[in-house]
Coordinates of all heavy atoms in Angstrom, one line a residue:
I276 N -233.8 138.7 -67.0 CA -234.9 139.1 -67.9 C -235.2 138.0 -68.9 O -235.8 138.3 -70.0 CB -234.7 140.5 -68.5 CG1 -233.4 140.4 -69.4 CG2 -234.6 141.5 -67.5 CD1 -233.2 141.7 -70.3
S277 N -234.9 136.8 -68.6 CA -235.0 135.7 -69.5 C -236.5 135.4 -69.9 O -237.4 135.8 -69.2 CB -234.4 134.4 -69.0 OG -233.0 134.6 -68.6
F278 N -236.6 134.7 -71.0 CA -237.9 134.2 -71.5 C -238.3 133.0 -70.5 O -237.8 131.9 -70.7 CB -237.8 133.7 -72.9 CG -239.0 133.8 -73.7 CD1 -239.0 134.5 -74.9 CD2 -240.2 133.3 -73.3 CE1 -240.1 134.7 -75.7 CE2 -241.4 133.4 -74.1 CZ -241.3 134.1 -75.3
S279 N -239.2 133.3 -69.6 CA -239.6 132.2 -68.7 C -241.0 132.5 -68.1 O -241.4 133.7 -68.1 CB -238.6 132.1 -67.5 OG -238.5 133.3 -66.8
A280 N -241.7 131.5 -67.7 CA -243.0 131.6 -67.2 C -243.1 132.0 -65.8 O -243.1 131.2 -64.9 CB -243.8 130.3 -67.4
R281 N -243.0 133.3 -65.5 CA -243.0 133.8 -64.1 C -244.3 134.7 -64.0 O -244.5 135.7 -64.7 CB -241.8 134.6 -63.8 CG -240.5 133.8 -63.6 CD -239.3 134.7 -63.5 NE -238.9 135.2 -64.8 CZ -237.8 136.0 -65.0 NH1 -237.1 136.4 -63.9 NH2 -237.5 136.4 -66.2
L282 N -245.1 134.3 -63.0 CA -246.3 135.0 -62.8 C -246.1 136.5 -62.4 O -246.8 137.4 -62.8 CB -247.2 134.3 -61.7 CG -248.5 134.9 -61.4 CD1 -249.4 134.9 -62.6 CD2 -249.2 134.2 -60.2
T283 N -245.0 136.7 -61.7 CA -244.7 138.1 -61.2 C -243.9 138.9 -62.2 O -243.8 140.1 -62.1 CB -244.0 138.1 -59.9 OG1 -242.8 137.3 -60.0 CG2 -244.8 137.5 -58.8
Y284 N -243.4 138.2 -63.2 CA -242.6 138.9 -64.3 C -242.9 138.2 -65.6 O -242.0 137.6 -66.2 CB -241.1 139.0 -63.9 CG -240.3 139.9 -64.8 CD1 -240.7 141.3 -65.0 CD2 -239.1 139.6 -65.3 CE1 -240.0 142.2 -65.7 CE2 -238.3 140.4 -66.1 CZ -238.8 141.7 -66.3 OH -238.0 142.6 -67.0
P285 N -244.1 138.3 -66.1 CA -244.5 137.5 -67.3 C -243.9 138.1 -68.6 O -243.5 139.2 -68.6 CB -246.0 137.5 -67.3 CG -246.3 138.9 -66.6 CD -245.2 139.0 -65.6
M286 N -243.9 137.2 -69.6 CA -243.5 137.6 -70.9 C -244.8 137.6 -71.8 O -245.1 136.6 -72.4 CB -242.5 136.7 -71.5 CG -242.0 137.1 -72.9 SD -240.7 138.4 -72.9 CE -239.2 137.4 -72.7
P287 N -245.6 138.7 -71.8 CA -246.8 138.7 -72.6 C -246.5 138.4 -74.1 O -245.5 138.9 -74.6 CB -247.3 140.1 -72.4 CG -246.6 140.6 -71.2 CD -245.3 140.0 -71.2
M288 N -247.5 137.8 -74.7 CA -247.3 137.5 -76.2 C -248.7 137.5 -76.8 O -249.7 137.1 -76.2 CB -246.6 136.2 -76.4 CG -247.3 135.0 -75.8 SD -246.3 133.5 -76.1 CE -247.4 132.2 -75.5
L289 N -248.7 137.8 -78.1 CA -249.9 137.7 -78.9 C -249.5 137.3 -80.4 O -248.3 137.5 -80.8 CB -250.7 138.9 -78.9 CG -250.2 140.2 -79.7 CD1 -251.4 141.1 -79.8 CD2 -249.1 140.9 -79.0
T290 N -250.5 136.8 -81.1 CA -250.2 136.5 -82.5 C -250.6 137.7 -83.4 O -251.5 138.5 -83.1 CB -251.1 135.3 -83.0 OG1 -252.5 135.6 -82.7 CG2 -250.7 134.0 -82.2
L291 N -249.9 137.9 -84.5 CA -250.1 139.0 -85.4 C -250.6 138.7 -86.8 O -250.9 139.6 -87.5 CB -248.8 139.8 -85.5 CG -248.2 140.3 -84.2 CD1 -246.8 141.0 -84.4 CD2 -249.1 141.3 -83.5
G292 N -250.5 137.4 -87.2 CA -250.9 137.0 -88.5 C -252.4 136.6 -88.5 O -253.1 136.6 -87.5
G293 N -252.9 136.3 -89.7 CA -254.3 135.9 -89.9 C -254.7 135.9 -91.3 O -253.9 135.5 -92.2
L294 N -255.9 136.2 -91.6 CA -256.5 136.1 -92.9 C -256.0 137.2 -93.8 O -255.8 138.4 -93.4 CB -258.0 136.2 -92.8 CG -258.7 135.1 -92.0 CD1 -260.2 135.4 -91.8 CD2 -258.5 133.7 -92.6
V295 N -255.7 136.9 -95.1 CA -255.4 137.9 -96.0 C -256.6 138.6 -96.5 O -257.6 138.0 -96.9 CB -254.6 137.3 -97.2 CG1 -254.2 138.3 -98.2 CG2 -253.4 136.5 -96.7
V296 N -256.6 139.9 -96.5 CA -257.7 140.7 -96.9 C -257.3 141.7 -98.0 O -256.2 142.1 -98.2 CB -258.4 141.5 -95.8 CG1 -258.9 140.5 -94.7 CG2 -257.4 142.5 -95.1
D297 N -258.3 142.1 -98.8 CA -258.2 143.1 -99.8 C -258.0 144.4 -99.0 O -258.8 144.8 -98.2 CB -259.4 143.2 -100.7 CG -259.3 144.4 -101.7 OD1 -259.6 145.5 -101.3 OD2 -258.9 144.1 -102.8
E298 N -256.9 145.1 -99.2 CA -256.5 146.3 -98.3 C -257.3 147.5 -98.7 O -257.3 148.5 -98.0 CB -255.0 146.6 -98.4 CG -254.2 145.4 -97.8 CD -252.7 145.7 -97.9 OE1 -252.3 146.8 -98.0 OE2 -252.0 144.7 -97.8
D299 N -258.2 147.5 -99.7 CA -259.1 148.6 -100.0 C -260.4 148.4 -99.4 O -261.1 149.4 -99.1 CB -259.2 148.8 -101.5 CG -257.9 149.2 -102.2 OD1 -257.2 150.0 -101.5 OD2 -257.6 148.8 -103.3
S300 N -260.8 147.2 -99.1 CA -262.2 146.9 -98.6 C -262.3 146.1 -97.4 O -263.3 146.1 -96.7 CB -263.0 146.2 -99.7 OG -262.5 144.9 -99.9
G301 N -261.2 145.3 -97.1 CA -261.3 144.4 -95.9 C -261.9 143.0 -96.3 O -262.1 142.2 -95.4
A302 N -262.2 142.8 -97.6 CA -262.8 141.5 -98.0 C -261.7 140.4 -97.9 O -260.6 140.6 -98.2 CB -263.3 141.6 -99.4
V303 N -262.1 139.3 -97.3 CA -261.2 138.1 -97.2 C -261.0 137.6 -98.6 O -261.9 137.5 -99.4 CB -261.8 137.1 -96.3 CG1 -261.0 135.8 -96.3 CG2 -262.0 137.7 -94.9
V304 N -259.7 137.2 -98.9 CA -259.4 136.7 -100.2 C -258.9 135.3 -100.2 O -258.4 134.8 -99.2 CB -258.4 137.7 -101.0 CG1 -258.9 139.1 -101.0 CG2 -257.0 137.6 -100.2
T305 N -258.9 134.7 -101.4 CA -258.4 133.3 -101.5 C -256.9 133.4 -101.9 O -256.3 134.5 -102.0 CB -259.1 132.6 -102.6 OG1 -258.8 133.2 -103.9 CG2 -260.6 132.6 -102.4
G306 N -256.3 132.2 -102.0 CA -254.9 132.2 -102.4 C -254.6 132.9 -103.7 O -253.5 133.4 -104.0
S307 N -255.6 132.9 -104.6 CA -255.4 133.6 -105.9 C -255.6 135.1 -105.9 O -255.5 135.8 -106.9 CB -256.3 132.9 -106.9 OG -257.7 133.2 -106.6
G308 N -256.1 135.5 -104.7 CA -256.3 137.0 -104.6 C -257.8 137.4 -104.8 O -258.1 138.6 -104.7
A309 N -258.6 136.4 -105.1 CA -260.0 136.7 -105.4 C -260.8 136.9 -104.1 O -260.6 136.1 -103.2 CB -260.7 135.6 -106.2
A310 N -261.6 137.9 -104.0 CA -262.4 138.1 -102.8 C -263.5 137.0 -102.7 O -264.1 136.6 -103.6 CB -263.1 139.5 -102.9
I311 N -263.7 136.6 -101.4 CA -264.8 135.6 -101.1 C -266.0 136.5 -100.9 O -266.1 137.3 -99.9 CB -264.4 134.8 -99.9 CG1 -263.2 134.0 -100.1 CG2 -265.6 133.9 -99.5 CD1 -262.7 133.2 -98.9
P312 N -267.0 136.4 -101.8 CA -268.2 137.2 -101.7 C -268.8 137.1 -100.3 O -269.0 136.0 -99.8 CB -269.1 136.7 -102.8 CG -268.2 136.1 -103.8 CD -267.1 135.5 -103.0
G313 N -269.1 138.3 -99.7 CA -269.9 138.3 -98.5 C -269.0 138.1 -97.2 O -269.6 138.1 -96.1
L314 N -267.7 138.0 -97.3 CA -266.9 137.8 -96.2 C -265.8 138.8 -96.0 O -265.0 139.1 -96.9 CB -266.2 136.4 -96.3 CG -265.4 135.9 -95.0 CD1 -266.4 135.8 -93.8 CD2 -264.7 134.6 -95.3
Y315 N -265.7 139.4 -94.8 CA -264.7 140.4 -94.5 C -264.1 140.1 -93.2 O -264.6 139.2 -92.4 CB -265.4 141.8 -94.3 CG -266.1 142.3 -95.6 CD1 -267.3 141.8 -96.0 CD2 -265.5 143.3 -96.4 CE1 -267.9 142.3 -97.2 CE2 -266.1 143.7 -97.6 CZ -267.3 143.2 -97.9 OH -267.9 143.7 -99.1
A316 N -262.9 140.7 -92.9 CA -262.3 140.5 -91.6 C -261.5 141.7 -91.2 O -261.2 142.6 -92.0 CB -261.3 139.3 -91.7
A317 N -261.3 141.9 -89.8 CA -260.7 143.0 -89.3 C -260.0 142.7 -88.0 O -260.3 141.6 -87.4 CB -261.7 144.2 -89.1
G318 N -259.1 143.5 -87.5 CA -258.4 143.3 -86.3 C -257.4 142.2 -86.4 O -256.9 141.9 -87.5
R319 N -257.2 141.5 -85.3 CA -256.1 140.5 -85.3 C -256.6 139.2 -86.0 O -255.8 138.3 -86.2 CB -255.7 140.1 -83.9 CG -255.0 141.3 -83.1 CD -253.6 141.6 -83.6 NE -253.5 141.9 -85.1 CZ -253.9 143.0 -85.6 NH1 -254.4 144.0 -84.9 NH2 -253.8 143.2 -86.9
T320 N -257.8 139.1 -86.4 CA -258.2 138.0 -87.3 C -257.6 138.1 -88.7 O -257.5 137.1 -89.4 CB -259.7 137.9 -87.4 OG1 -260.3 138.0 -86.1 CG2 -260.2 136.7 -88.1
A321 N -257.2 139.3 -89.0 CA -256.7 139.6 -90.4 C -255.2 140.1 -90.3 O -254.8 140.6 -89.3 CB -257.6 140.6 -91.1
V322 N -254.5 139.9 -91.4 CA -253.2 140.6 -91.6 C -253.5 142.1 -91.6 O -254.4 142.6 -92.3 CB -252.5 140.1 -92.9 CG1 -251.2 140.9 -93.1 CG2 -252.2 138.6 -92.8

């Protein structure tokens, strides 16, 4: 069951990180925590 590239027994993978958002609104924020006006993110684009 090793980690290897086998078409018949693959190891699916996906990324889980992304843009930091305000958790009350979904607004994308800067490193200082300030919201970028007019910009939001959702799903796997965002944390």
Side-chain angles (χ1 to χ4, degrees):
I276 59 171
S277 301
F278 210 123
S279 60
R281 285 174 283 180
L282 182 62
T283 57
Y284 193 48
M286 183 79 90
M288 62 181 186
L289 76 162
T290 57
L291 301 178
L294 302 172
V295 180
V296 297
D297 179 278
E298 294 179 23
D299 293 322
S300 67
V303 176
V304 302
T305 65
S307 67
I311 299 176
L314 186 62
Y315 298 77
R319 295 288 58 75
T320 308
V322 173

